[in-house]
Structure formats: structure tokens, C-alpha cells
Amino acid sequence: MLEHAVAKDSTKFDNLYRLGTMYLDRDRVDEAQKVLAKAHTIKPKDVPTIVNLGAAYDALGKSAEAQKHATARPSSSRRATRSPRVASPARSTRAGSIKRRWTCCAT
């Protein structure tokens, strides 16, 4: 249902973010990265999106991109209003590496 909502209107940030985290939870990392990247273009300062996009890059073995998102700090001093949803650390990726829980502190 969420996929249909995004297919119908891919400009709604909340739907993109939810779909991206759903893909991460279901180990559909390629799709998660694409959807979260789109969400990131809409709200580039959203900390949970930055964190989850970094986790997707890490799961894809793109460590340079993952590091870029892990160290990104929004210019706003406000804290995120929701916690980042990252796939369980016990789940493995296609490449066989273990997903790590990304932590983030918005200051």
C-alpha cells in the first residue's frame, strides 16, 4: 500500500521515509537506498533520514557514502522529532556483513 502511495505521489516526504525504512527492515537495501535518497533531497536536514540512508549505504558496502552520512550534522540546532528506524543489527545483508545500529546525536 505504501509503495502505491509513493508511486502515485513521490513528493511526500513521510511516505518516502516510511517506505525506505520498511525496505531496510525487509533487507531490500538497494530499494531502501534509492527511496531514502529521494527523501533526503526533499528534507536534507532530517536526521533520521540521514542516519538510515547511511545505514543503507553501509549495507551496500559503500563505506565512503555511509561515513559521509554518519558524520553529517544538520545546520539547525533542533533535535530530531522521531528516532531513526534502522534494521535490526542481527540481520545480515546480501554481502554477508552485519548491519550495525547507527547512532546519531543532533546538537
Side-chain angles (χ1 to χ4, degrees), residues 89-103:
R91 298 179 70 181
S92 63
T93 65
R94 278 180 262 147
S97 63
I98 301 298
K99 288 183 185 174
R100 297 181 285 214
R101 184 150 190 67
W102 286 67
T103 58

Side-chain angles (χ1 to χ4, degrees), residues 10-71:
S10 64
T11 62
K12 292 189 177 181
F13 170 80
D14 289 333
N15 288 344
L16 288 166
Y17 177 78
R18 287 185 194 126
L19 183 61
T21 56
M22 182 189 77
Y23 283 154
L24 273 181
D25 287 341
R26 294 184 180 173
D27 210 19
R28 294 168 63 178
V29 184
D30 289 328
E31 294 160 304
Q33 181 270 318
K34 290 174 187 168
V35 173
L36 288 168
K38 174 100 175 163
H40 182 61
T41 61
I42 294 170
K43 284 191 177 180
K45 296 178 184 178
D46 186 68
V47 174
T49 304
I50 293 168
V51 170
N52 282 295
L53 183 56
Y57 281 125
D58 185 51
L60 290 169
K62 298 179 179 180
S63 58
E65 285 294 316
Q67 187 65 31
K68 181 175 110 179
H69 285 85
T71 58

